[in-house]
């Protein structure tokens, strides 16, 4: 069985046309396989990234997103800085109406660090939200 | 024991009269058994769909909804596109006051994708929500 | 040991005076033991009901509530219809300031259905809610 | 949309030929929709049944099992007694190599009752079990 | 609505005939509503009791069990002692083939205490257990 | 080892000076060890209380709070009434800016009851809340 | 971005040499994306498969395993039968020392069905298991 | 293997320049390893701290934060007081736009205490929040 | 309100007579509030201890156990060493039939360490265990 | 604040003398931060490793274990092969009485792979295990 065609880490993010630009709708990606290293000590860092975005004309192509995240594997990066950089890179190629990135970093020195960054397009406003009642948790039997 | 009367996948969504059109109330369907295939590679995709809707004159009939979802089994469909199409199809036959569709797709390339799309009837506004306090989680014993 | 005095299903809901009518406060009942049957096929249906209510002059008596829910055991009832009917019945005897009923139905045809209905007294408005910060989930040990 | 062909509760359990009688293998059914009533007070009781069985020549047909459980809806039954009766009924029609029934009853008087009954065919012995290591629970991020 | 016939705490445990004495089967009671007080300081203690028993000729009657547990409400009792006493009392009236009592006590001084006591009838041996494979936990979607 | 100095149930709630009256901040107590009895039948009731409060000049002293809750052990109390009474008692001694009490009662007659009561000081208004994004749930491995 | 090289469902299972045949070690695959259809009604069925195996000379190649499971997409298959067939197919190409397959099927008619099948090589015996103590669940803070 | 360079508890909090001061973004630290002692009895207390902050010109350096929390190990501190003090200390060195500290204390006397304190910079206002729909919990298989 | 009588950390473990020495029964303590420091770096370490013991003539007194664990607060201790030492100390004063200590340490350097140590009295053998069937997890409604 | 002394990935595992060689006791390490790459495609793989070991004369030093796992970051490795290699490497330097390694790999192609490998010293036998009753899960309140 031959391997997949060779692929490689890349800072190049691909896009495709938003199939429903007439609506504000949410696309969420969860990327549990992020790693970079600490610029001071060189030791590896790990994180789980969540991207919530409302696209405008362009969507992010999934495979290029995977290779973009891979591209950080050999780079040094501070927690607060890298989360902001990734936000800026996705904003640059897709110009989304809204994007929020959440990075949850593995524990260091007994302390857990999470970083949440967002960007919204100038002039864009979210439609007033329709709050639906949350369903109560039910349980009728014993554990 | 004879089988059920033959049934088949169908794009035909049936409706029935809303039994309480004087109220805005929520109907939620959860459909964990969705599958289609990827239009590029032909490989199967899987997802869990949730439909939250506030009907107007018509409700969606449950059995036809099941066969409608079944109809995607042999079709190719991109994640963002199919979620929008299903929304549009339900809107067309029921003209609901409000509908939101959430699709959670199985992992591909190490990345999880979720898509959330909504539609609201022109001129319709949700009643101001009554926020009830959420009940705190309690636990008095160990583990 | 003699049995309890005979009791029976009943559509009769009893009430008692609200002990604190000067306050808007929440009473929540959870009723995991609901069953009726499907009017088309006669087969049994099961659901979990949650009632959230802010009473006015009258509260619902717990034991009669139990027997009221029991009264559906031999009736046919569609999901959307029965949830609305139960709401209307409780409204009729208690005239609450606010009531919300959530019915979570057991899976049918691979699809889960939940229905949420509410009623509010004319002219009544909820006090502006005091949002308290939700407590973050903490964990310091592994698994 | 016409209803399904009429069906009805029935004590008749159907069987079909075990497709792999040369192996001891486990079939587990979980039946969350059980209800009967208390023979003393007439009030409804609810339970969740789990059936674990290793069949011999015959398997239980799923649809008849559903209608069998439905047949208890209008019968009075003590917790300990009904669990034993259901075991005996399934044993009678399938003569399984092994069967275990677990009934978890909804709380009564502040006390939860669970009953577990089993039967094994004379002379049948379970093959020595192959214990596989259980996978440790892992978690690399915070809550 | 008149109250139930008066009931009262009682050390008297009632029994009834085991409906299936020809089998060794498990009856489990969970009693989350136990309280007594500390004999040294007089302060209230709380616990959750679980009783696992394989009866011989007699079963414990559920309602009397409730009143038996209630009878500890005004007594002083050390954790280790009271768990053993309750075991002895149930053994005395039912002479079970096997019984195990687990008491989980609320935290005191930052330490959680659990006590597990068992009794088996002389000469009784559990049938060799049929180990069924435990079902692996599966999850196909993201959280 | 001698016992602690004798302590006793008491309706007397002690207070101490709020160490940061210049801020609106939240103090939450969770009291899982509450019991009283039903005024009609005399049987014990159990509940878990949560107190959320924003103090003004005075805070509630923890040890007296424990003894206050203990004082209900031998009193009869309806669910709705006792929750309101406890609120009133704490309001009387601390005159808080805001207080909310949530009582979750153990199941009775197959129905779970929860009661939520609140009080706010005249003229006091909560600062506009700073909504922080909630962290998405992540999972990168299988169950 | 060009698609992956075309792939297709296939009954052909590939193997590779076991890199550590001198040891009995466990390989577990979890396949949450299984679907076939019911041979009686033609409706789709869904299941989650878990394969636990101790290989001998050959291991199953992961990508062919994916395509093998895909090959059931357009076939009719009864729950008990298909689980046994998949076991037999993997046994045929790998001749493992031990294999166990667990299939958890989506609910039908309100009943959940799970099937567990195993095969062991003639003459092979599992090494006596080293039981390690399971780690108790701990929690030091409130929920 | 030589030890790390000697480190010590310290009240000195270090800072570094905010890498993205043009945005309001969230940094969350979770510190599960906090301990101090009770000023009345000298006994140890334990807590889990969560810090949510929106920095202005300066961020808190992670390692100094660890040593700052360590510095409370030998100090006496009341729950309400120490939470406020830690807030004030971090405010003093970073002058953040917003900060919220949540302290969850281990149970004492059967009661759990949580304290939540916040500070916001004069004139700073949070951007109107973009509410994203929360993803419904889905489950298609049994337990 | 005066403080409790002064108490202090102590290596002195107190005992009392086993109230049921005629039985082998389990006493489990969970101690979530353990801290010591690393002998190399001086930094604090945290752990959760679980003690499972079957006593012989003597039981461990709860309050002295609390003060014993407190006594490690200012000591340096390696993970493997301190778990063994605590075992030895409890064995010395109680001479139990069986004891097992589980220590779960907070993460260091991205790795979680757990240590489990046990001791059994010479000549003592556990009674053959009565395996009770574990209750299957049930769920009838959607998450 | 200067960085830690430079550290680097290394295949060198350090050991120290077992502080309690007279006992068979368990040391468990959990390593959630493992990554290597696929030797065919070069793409990154991720896994969670658990090491359970009963040491003989030597224990593994924690910091060198961290750097050992780091050393795989730039190596290609098949799932089954690398798990066996890591086992062999730790066996070589510590000659443990027993060791078991569990590797849980992130999903690839929709399939999750877990590998469990073990080694035991010639002639070593685990002491007969003392089975302690597992504590039943309890819950007395609603959700
Ligand atoms: Ca729920
Ligand atoms: Ca359960
Ligand atoms: Ca929490
Ligand atoms: Ca834990
Ligand atoms: Ca896991
Ligand atoms: Ca996690
Ligand atoms: Ca899920
Ligand atoms: Ca999470
Ligand atoms: Ca996981
Ligand atoms: Ca916790
Ligand atoms: Ca599951
Ligand atoms: Ca349930
Ligand atoms: Ca549920
Ligand atoms: Ca538990
Ligand atoms: Ca609990
Ligand atoms: Ca609860």
């Amino acid at each position: 069985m031959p391997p997949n065609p060779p692929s490689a880490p890349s800072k190049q993010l691909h896009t495709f046309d938003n199939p429903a630009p007439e609506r504000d709708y949410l696309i969420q990606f969860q990327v549990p396989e992020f790693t970079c290293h600490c610029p001071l000590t060189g030791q590896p860092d790990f994180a789980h990234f969540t991207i919530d975005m409302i696209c405008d004309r362009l969507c992010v192509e999934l495979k290029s997103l995977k290779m973009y995240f891979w591209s950080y594997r050999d780079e040094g990066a501070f927690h607060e800085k890298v989360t902001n950089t990734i936000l800026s890179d996705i904003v640059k190629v897709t110009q989304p109406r809204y994007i929020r990135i959440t990075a949850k970093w593995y524990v260091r020195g007994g302390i857990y660090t999470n970083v949440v960054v967002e960007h919204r397009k100038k002039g864009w406003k979210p439609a007033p939200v329709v709050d639906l009642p949350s369903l109560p948790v039910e349980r009728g039997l014993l554990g």
Side-chain angles (χ1 to χ4, degrees), chain A residues 45-59:
Chain A
D45 274 328
F46 291 80
H48 179 114
F49 274 76
T50 299
I51 303 171
D52 291 293
M53 62 190 300
I54 297 172
C55 294
D56 191 7
R57 275 194 330 101
L58 297 170
C59 293

Side-chain angles (χ1 to χ4, degrees), chain A residues 2 16 22-23 32 59 63 70 80 88-89 93 96 112 124 130 143:
Chain A
F16 62 92
E22 69 279 9
R23 290 189 185 114
C59 293
K63 199 170 181 182
W70 179 6
E80 290 87 352
S88 297
D89 283 356
V93 298
Y112 297 81
W124 175 79
V130 174

Side-chain angles (χ1 to χ4, degrees), chain A residues 1 4 8 10 14-15 25 27 29 36 38 48 52 56 64 70 77 84-85 89-90 94 97 109 111 113 119 131 143:
Chain A
M1 177 146 310
N4 278 334
S10 158
H14 296 279
T15 62
Y25 68 96
I27 304 172
F29 300 110
C36 60
C38 170
H48 179 114
D52 291 293
D56 191 7
S64 73
W70 179 6
N84 277 285
T85 300
D89 283 356
I90 300 181
T94 61
R97 294 175 194 158
I111 299 182
T113 305
H119 167 92
D131 265 338

